Amino acid sequence: MGTSRRQRGLGALALLTVVVAACAEPLAHGDRAVHYDGIGELVASADAVVVGQVAETSRGRVLDQQDVVYTIMNVRVAVEQLWAGRMPTPAFTIEQPGWEQAARRPGWRGWFDPAGERPWRLKDELRLEQGDRGVFFLARDRRPPGWELLGPEGLYLIDGAELSDTSRSDPTVRTVEAMSVTELDEGVGAAVAAVRRGELKPKTPSTG
């Protein structure tokens, strides 16, 4: 399993802060340093794999880029099951893209709600809501709130015994979402065993 010392470079949100300043459209994750190509790479690189339910969402950090202001959404997740790794607390918080306000952007003709904001959406990034259940592939982060997803391919929503088809285009996501929850659980278990045998290693920018 991965550790917080992995060379992942800047966290996803910090990296996106640089590239989104002039963009009004949903963004791709092409600048992320690592893409995980399957369950094995996700498990080997994760510090925890959990099933959890979103307990609440709230407004977090504000990123002021002069012509557009981004607000991070804090997502608090209650842990239901631990499939791999360690989770020392019964709940954890991650950051996700929240809202953008571009009222100061010249020539912008997009739709905004009365408060001048609209959801900040990124390509293949799920927007979590209170009550959502999912499987989370997580890495420890030395910065608050302490955890981060392993990219868009590190989150899968649960719909009963199946994984929800969220129509995301990422090939890893498409493969995993075709599984049942039980099949994903078994795949994670097999990957954990392969990690213990030394057959799988964390994927880093240097190995990706």
Side-chain angles (χ1 to χ4, degrees), residues 164-175:
S164 298
D165 182 352
T166 59
S167 300
R168 290 179 287 171
S169 61
D170 182 273
T172 299
V173 171
R174 301 308 306 152
T175 298

Side-chain angles (χ1 to χ4, degrees), residues 20-23 64-70 101-106:
V20 300
C23 296
D64 191 337
Q65 301 297 314
Q66 296 186 354
D67 64 340
V68 60
V69 176
Y70 297 95
Q101 184 179 46
R104 292 176 290 177
R105 182 182 295 157

